[in-house]
């Protein structure tokens, strides 16, 4: 037990504290204390100020909430942002993205692209993200260096990929990474079979076995388009989710990304297995893939998290913007203005993300003992006035320009909107150099 009388490392005094758990609560004039990287105190301001603290920081007109969790993305693809727009999923993938990946993706690409993505995410209030891309060992180095928290997935596909001749090699390298990072305080390794249409049964069985053995998550694009479902019915005689269930992949560790095509039987499978859904509304809108019925899933008791997807299909890593889109879209899809209210939307972007990634004991809400993963949003600006309900203001009238400070495990990674560990100018220069090289030779 930590010594409760020991001084706090930092006491934060925001105007509003939104813990997310308990749900729907806004604490006014409260303090949050951090000791050894964890949340050690939540108390009314006057009481909090009685505790000795090495540093006290006033956050006037600021809303302190758990850091946002971007539960799905492809970090390094940020270097392909805007390379191929306004196309349906299959032609976008097969005619543009896969050829560009074959030509450009190597360790250096992943290093620079991941750093760009991490910097953009930190500046947007994201304290934790999930990554599904090639060379996860290289991307993990950037996670380590930058101070952000992440779930890194081992890519599994039927065909050769940058960094692995086949799925066996990808898994071998992935298991080595799992071993190396199993004690890392901020990195969690999971399996990332790409999609039901790009990974065969034998490889999925292998993934299931390994995930079970290592108690690791399985993160996969599922039911992204109607075409995918149709093709599976023709080839396998069942819907993709049903096929995954029959292979034993579903369960509390399973993270189904997209789920735009959902039948009542699919919902029953998700509920029974306690699988999570990761909703990526802007990617689904842009690729015209369909709509995930968020309210229906929520009402059925399915844990729904949210992700930006890669910047090549979105085109930003703005989770707060994504959450606003999700809140608006949920109402349109449900035909009900009460669907996914502002507090629920914020929960989806924080605690539900943590739960999907198996990190809810560590992060996702402001509770004593959890890691101090926090973001402070400034609501003093013109476009946020007047403030009746700060959470409503954040979701419906806020934006990532409101992000002022961010901490992960008590370490401040963003201070007054400035990155504390990463060199923003160098990252921009690197991205520009890649852009010039790729544009020069992009003949597709
Ligand atoms: Zn994706």
């Amino acid at each position: 037990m930590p010594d409760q009388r020991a001084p706090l490392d930092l006491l934060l005094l925001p105007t509003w504290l939104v813990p997310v758990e308990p749900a729907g609560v806004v604490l006014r004039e409260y303090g949050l204390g951090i000791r050894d990287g964890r949340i050690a105190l939540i108390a009314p301001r006057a009481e909090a100020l009685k505790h000795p603290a090495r540093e006290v920081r006033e956050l006037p007109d600021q809303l302190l909430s758990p850091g946002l969790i971007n539960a799905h993305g492809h970090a390094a693809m940020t270097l392909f942002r805007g390379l191929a727009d306004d196309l349906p999923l299959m032609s976008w993938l097969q005619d543009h993205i896969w050829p560009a990946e074959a030509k450009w993706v190597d360790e250096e690409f992943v290093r620079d692209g991941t750093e760009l993505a991490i910097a953009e995410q930190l500046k947007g209030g994201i304290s934790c993200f999930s990554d599904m891309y090639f060379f996860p060992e290289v991307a993990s180095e950037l996670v380590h260096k930058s101070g952000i928290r992440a779930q890194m997935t081992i890519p599994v596909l039927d065909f050769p990929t940058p960094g692995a001749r086949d799925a066996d090699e990808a898994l071998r390298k992935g298991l080595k990474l799992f071993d190396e990072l199993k004690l890392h305080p901020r990195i969690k390794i999971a399996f990332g079979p790409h999609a039901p249409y790009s990974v065969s049964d034998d490889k999925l069985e292998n993934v299931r076995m390994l995930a079970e053995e290592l108690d690791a998550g399985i993160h996969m694009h599922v039911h992204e388009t109607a075409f995918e479902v149709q093709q599976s019915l023709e080839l396998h005689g069942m819907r993709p989710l049903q096929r995954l269930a029959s292979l034993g992949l579903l369960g509390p560790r399973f993270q189904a990304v997209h789920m735009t095509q959902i039948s009542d039987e699919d919902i029953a499978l998700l509920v029974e297995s306690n699988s999570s859904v990761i909703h990526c509304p802007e990617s689904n809108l842009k690729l015209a893939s369909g709509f995930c019925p968020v309210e229906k899933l929520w009402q059925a008791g399915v844990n729904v998290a949210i992700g930006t997807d890669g910047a090549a299909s979105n085109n930003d890593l703005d989770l707060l913007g994504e959450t606003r889109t999700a809140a608006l879209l949920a109402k349109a899809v449900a035909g009900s203005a009460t669907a996914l209210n502002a507090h629920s939307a914020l929960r989806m972007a924080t605690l539900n993300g943590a739960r999907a990634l198996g990190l809810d004991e560590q992060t996702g809400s402001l509770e004593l003992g959890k890691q101090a993963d926090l973001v402070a949003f400034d609501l003093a600006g013109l476009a946020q006035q007047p403030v009746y309900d700060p959470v409503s203001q954040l979701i419906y009238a806020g934006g990532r320009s409101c992000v002022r400070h961010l901490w992960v495990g008590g370490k401040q990674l963003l201070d007054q909107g400035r990155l504390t560990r990463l060199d923003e100018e160098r990252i921009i220069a690197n991205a520009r150099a890649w852009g010039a090289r790729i544009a020069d030779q992009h003949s597709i």
Side-chain angles (χ1 to χ4, degrees):
M1 279 292 285
D3 180 359
Q4 292 309 316
R5 291 157 308 172
L8 299 165
D9 296 322
L10 176 63
L11 174 63
L12 297 171
L13 297 165
T15 300
W16 303 281
L17 189 70
V18 180
V20 172
E21 181 62 42
V25 168
V26 177
L27 302 169
R28 285 164 211 272
E29 301 298 328
Y30 262 62
L32 180 142
I34 301 169
R35 192 189 294 119
D36 298 329
R38 291 176 186 273
I39 299 169
L41 174 82
I42 296 176
R45 182 186 167 93
E47 196 190 320
L49 277 166
K50 289 181 191 156
H51 285 256
R54 293 192 177 92
E55 188 190 347
V56 178
R57 193 146 181 192
E58 296 279 355
L59 302 173
D61 294 316
Q62 292 180 41
L63 181 159
L64 192 68
S65 83
L68 305 179
I69 298 183
N70 185 2
H72 178 67
H74 313 275
M77 287 182 87
T78 311
L79 288 176
F80 290 141
R81 184 189 340 247
L83 183 69
D85 284 334
D86 310 320
L87 294 163
L89 177 70
M90 280 306 161
S91 96
W92 174 77
L93 261 182
Q94 290 170 356
D95 304 334
H96 298 268
I97 294 302
W98 284 343
E101 285 180 330
K103 183 164 177 56
W104 295 106
V105 177
D106 58 11
E107 296 193 16
E108 198 193 342
F109 178 97
V110 169
R111 188 168 293 119
D112 290 344
T114 304
E115 194 173 30
L116 174 64
I118 290 175
E120 181 181 350
Q121 293 185 96
L122 290 172
K123 291 195 80 170
I126 295 167
S127 59
C128 176
F129 72 106
S130 178
D131 192 30
M132 182 190 232
Y133 211 57
F134 312 117
F135 300 105
E137 65 280 9
V138 175
S140 296
E141 287 170 21
L142 274 304
V143 173
H144 174 75
K145 177 182 139 190
S146 66
I148 200 167
R149 194 179 301 286
Q151 167 182 272
M152 308 303 290
T153 64
I154 301 165
V156 181
L157 284 112
D158 278 340
F159 43 85
T161 61
R165 278 183 299 274
D166 55 24
D168 285 343
E169 190 184 4
L171 284 171
R172 253 197 321 279
K173 288 174 99 175
L175 292 177
K176 184 167 165 275
L177 188 66
F178 188 95
D179 223 40
E180 284 166 8
L181 296 176
K182 65 182 172 206
L183 297 177
H184 197 286
R186 289 181 284 102
I187 302 177
K188 185 165 179 168
I189 305 290
F191 292 91
H194 175 260
Y197 57 85
S198 54
V199 191
S200 57
D201 283 3
D202 57 327
K203 295 185 186 71
L204 289 173
E205 274 166 2
N206 212 355
V207 165
R208 178 194 55 79
M209 208 175 64
L210 291 167
E212 229 168 68
E213 202 180 302
L214 302 169
D215 194 20
I218 302 173
H219 184 91
M220 188 175 194
H221 299 108
V222 190
H223 290 208
E224 184 168 0
T225 61
F227 175 73
E228 173 193 333
V229 176
Q230 191 52 42
Q231 197 187 35
S232 174
L233 284 167
E234 282 160 21
L235 287 171
H236 303 281
M238 48 188 154
R239 295 166 70 80
L241 195 72
Q242 213 178 350
R243 176 173 153 236
L244 299 176
S246 72
L247 290 166
L249 263 81
L250 304 192
R253 294 186 206 88
F254 191 75
Q255 307 158 25
V257 181
H258 294 308
M259 293 303 293
T260 71
Q261 316 290 324
I262 301 190
S263 66
D264 288 345
E265 290 73 30
D266 296 330
I267 294 183
L269 281 176
L270 293 166
V271 172
E272 247 167 62
S273 62
N274 200 13
S275 300
S276 287
V277 166
I278 298 171
H279 177 37
C280 302
E282 292 186 4
S283 170
N284 296 155
L285 284 166
K286 184 155 178 274
L287 296 165
S289 297
F291 307 106
C292 173
V294 171
E295 183 69 5
K296 207 168 170 187
L297 289 171
W298 195 291
Q299 293 305 332
V302 177
N303 180 53
V304 186
I306 181 164
T308 58
D309 211 345
S313 67
N314 182 321
N315 294 356
D316 57 30
L317 307 180
D318 177 0
L319 199 74
L320 189 59
E322 194 82 26
T323 304
R324 179 191 195 171
T325 302
L328 299 176
L329 191 63
K331 299 171 204 324
V333 170
S336 162
T338 62
L340 200 66
N341 65 40
H343 276 275
S344 301
L346 182 62
R347 191 179 185 85
M348 186 161 82
T350 54
L351 190 55
N352 288 11
R355 189 172 152 202
L357 308 185
L359 292 169
D360 49 329
E361 285 184 10
Q362 294 177 48
T363 189
S365 57
L366 306 185
E367 294 180 79
L368 293 181
K370 278 199 176 184
Q371 295 286 333
D373 293 0
L374 320 163
V375 56
F377 298 99
D378 189 341
L379 300 184
L382 183 112
Q384 286 78 45
Q385 302 316 313
V387 182
Y388 299 112
D389 174 342
V391 174
S392 165
Q393 224 62 344
L394 176 69
I395 299 298
Y396 295 119
R400 57 180 168 172
S401 61
C402 296
V403 175
R404 281 293 165 274
H405 311 290
L406 180 129
W407 293 262
V408 174
K411 303 264 191 314
Q412 189 162 11
L413 304 183
L414 195 76
D415 190 359
Q416 300 287 3
R418 303 276 309 167
L419 294 165
T420 60
R421 291 197 187 180
L422 299 176
D423 180 344
E424 190 169 337
E425 279 174 25
R426 184 182 51 75
I427 292 170
I428 292 173
N430 277 349
R432 283 190 171 173
W434 275 104
R437 241 179 300 169
I438 292 171
D440 198 37
Q441 293 200 29
H442 186 64
S443 53
I444 304 160

